[in-house]
Amino acid sequence: MPTTATKTDYYEVLGVKRGASPQELRKAYRRLARKCHPDVNPGDKSAEERFKQIQEAYEVLSDPNKRKLYDQYGFYSEQFKPGQGPAGAGGFGFDFSGFDFSEFGGGRSTSFRDIFSDFFSRFAGGPAERPTEPQRGSDLEYQVEISFWDSIRGTVRKLAISRLEACAACHGTGAVGGPSTCSACGGRGQVVQAAGTMRFNMTCTRCGGSGRVRTMCRHCNGEGCVQRAETIEVRIPAGVADGSRVRVAGKGNAGVQGGAPGDLYIITRVRPHEFFERRGDNIHTVVPVTVSEAALGAKIEVPTIDGRALLKVPPGTQSGQRFRLREKGAPSLRTGRRGDHYVEVRIVLPEVMDERQKQLLRDFSKLTREDPRAKIHAAASRGG
């Protein structure tokens, strides 16, 4: 006959409140596991039993689906799944010998299905099993600040990171040594839990029904991975912008049960340049020109990310007018092609230093009778 298990308050075992977060559960489990581990308390049977209770409590409460069922019904069984066991029992192996169901029906005949169909229909989806197959590790993100020129030309940076690595002592399994007989179920794989006059045959939560258990690895506290600091070289390609994500394959956290590690993503933060402004893959600059250059036209040199380039300013150019230098912008990470460089000209008035300069400007104003505000006045008059 399977071993009988008494109802245990898993929250009380871990010393946390019922609404404890996953982080609080993990912290409490690690603290208690270190304190009550059999290797730390050799020959202490009470510490060994306490350690088993801690493992059992954390196994249920750390799984969101198992925890939901435990919170709702006050216990958890691996048999909370459809398609197994007696018809209408939703997969539970229950022993109802000697139980009188008539008290639930007010003296009339009441079937097992009538009483429990609603109860067990709640488990139609079944809780998720704890993964035993290899799972890929989680990704990591780090931010790196670089200069404008490093974003244009590319660079290599040394980066200190902290990541989870597979435990060398247990090779990522979280356990050491060979399996031994589960003391919770005596190697049978099942326990009996009593609720009033009913008895529930349930899979042992400590061994998962196998009847065998392994010793938790002390180096990683059964997690299968340990935190490790590492300094790596990261190549940042030419063309990254502010907020770009650079992937470094295999440098994320270690996988579970021998699964592949995750990736590391570098988020670039680009310091602004005092002259060049990047918008997408295009570069924008503002270049001053003199009154005579704007009025008469000129060829001027403008700085670009490739060096100086010749720009033709046509006669009659207005302040704020923009010109495009094709494929003089930043390289694109997606296509490899380069954007354009847009040059905005700003007319700079000369400083009037002497009377001769003033007279020249007076003579020039007599030659130009055009009123630059004529259109504004006309529009304002029509509005009145």
Side-chain angles (χ1 to χ4, degrees):
M1 178 179 176
T3 304
T4 300
T6 57
K7 294 184 66 174
T8 304
D9 188 336
Y10 289 153
Y11 292 100
E12 185 178 329
V13 169
L14 295 180
V16 297
K17 297 179 180 179
R18 295 192 71 84
S21 66
Q23 292 77 16
E24 291 172 329
L25 289 172
R26 179 186 291 260
K27 184 177 180 181
Y29 167 69
R30 288 183 171 179
R31 176 176 55 81
L32 293 172
R34 284 194 294 266
K35 180 181 178 181
C36 301
H37 197 281
D39 291 345
V40 181
N41 304 275
D44 189 339
K45 293 296 182 181
S46 62
E48 183 179 352
E49 288 302 319
R50 172 72 170 151
F51 179 74
K52 293 173 183 177
Q53 289 182 342
I54 293 166
Q55 283 192 309
E56 179 180 324
Y58 183 69
E59 180 181 354
V60 173
L61 297 184
S62 63
D63 187 303
N65 292 301
K66 293 180 180 180
R67 182 178 181 179
K68 181 179 179 181
L69 294 171
Y70 175 79
D71 288 343
Q72 188 169 4
Y73 298 104
F75 67 94
Y76 174 76
S77 170
E78 292 291 341
Q79 294 176 331
F80 280 176
K81 62 186 69 175
Q84 298 175 4
F92 294 86
F94 295 154
D95 179 6
F96 292 97
S97 58
F99 187 83
D100 184 7
F101 289 99
S102 63
E103 61 182 275
F104 291 95
R108 56 185 170 84
S109 176
T110 307
S111 69
F112 174 87
R113 182 185 298 273
D114 293 335
I115 296 174
F116 293 99
S117 60
D118 177 65
F119 177 85
F120 292 115
S121 65
R122 301 172 185 267
F123 302 102
E129 298 276 343
R130 185 173 294 274
T132 56
E133 295 182 356
Q135 284 192 335
R136 181 180 179 274
S138 58
D139 296 329
L140 294 176
E141 282 191 0
Y142 277 80
Q143 291 193 11
V144 173
E145 183 177 333
I146 59 175
S147 68
F148 172 83
W149 289 113
D150 283 341
S151 73
I152 295 297
R153 299 165 179 164
T155 185
V156 175
R157 285 294 183 88
K158 285 188 175 181
L159 181 64
I161 65 173
S162 179
R163 54 188 290 263
L164 292 176
E165 191 175 69
C167 176
C170 64
H171 306 289
T173 64
V176 294
S180 58
T181 301
C182 176
S183 59
C185 64
R188 298 176 180 86
Q190 281 193 326
V191 295
V192 173
Q193 182 146 5
T197 56
M198 295 185 295
R199 290 184 298 164
F200 301 81
N201 293 341
M202 301 184 300
T203 300
C204 176
T205 57
R206 172 152 167 73
C207 65
S210 67
R212 309 284 282 175
V213 293
R214 298 181 67 184
T215 304
M216 183 184 73
C217 176
R218 293 186 60 190
H219 293 273
C220 63
N221 290 323
E223 296 292 331
C225 50
V226 291
Q227 202 79 24
R228 180 194 170 194
E230 183 179 357
T231 299
I232 61 174
E233 281 194 350
V234 179
R235 187 184 72 83
I236 298 177
V240 296
D242 188 67
S244 292
R245 285 164 55 94
V246 179
R247 175 174 171 264
V248 184
K251 286 300 181 179
N253 286 326
V256 178
Q257 296 293 331
D263 296 329
L264 169 66
Y265 286 91
I266 306 299
I267 312 300
T268 56
R269 296 302 174 195
V270 181
R271 295 191 295 271
H273 192 273
E274 61 180 354
F275 181 72
F276 298 110
E277 179 186 356
R278 180 170 176 173
R279 303 177 194 171
D281 294 329
N282 298 323
I283 301 294
H284 294 255
T285 56
V286 177
V287 175
V289 295
T290 66
V291 174
S292 60
E293 288 173 334
L296 303 177
K299 290 182 179 180
I300 62 173
E301 286 186 338
V302 295
T304 71
I305 60 175
D306 298 320
R308 295 184 179 183
L310 201 61
L311 175 67
K312 183 178 180 180
V313 179
T317 294
Q318 300 296 318
S319 187
Q321 194 167 338
R322 293 198 311 167
F323 301 92
R324 181 171 69 171
L325 300 174
R326 294 181 182 275
E327 297 185 358
K328 290 290 185 179
S332 171
L333 282 177
R334 293 179 290 105
T335 65
R337 299 179 59 183
R338 293 184 59 175
D340 299 326
H341 187 144
Y342 289 90
V343 179
E344 179 184 333
V345 296
R346 296 277 180 86
I347 298 176
V348 179
L349 297 177
E351 293 185 14
V352 180
M353 303 298 295
D354 53 31
E355 188 60 34
R356 180 171 174 273
Q357 291 175 322
K358 293 179 181 179
Q359 187 58 47
L360 288 174
L361 289 175
R362 294 188 189 101
D363 294 340
F364 179 74
S365 65
K366 294 176 182 179
L367 297 175
T368 55
R369 298 296 183 181
E370 181 181 359
D371 183 3
R373 294 169 294 280
K375 291 183 180 180
I376 298 177
H377 295 320
S381 298
R382 287 195 298 271

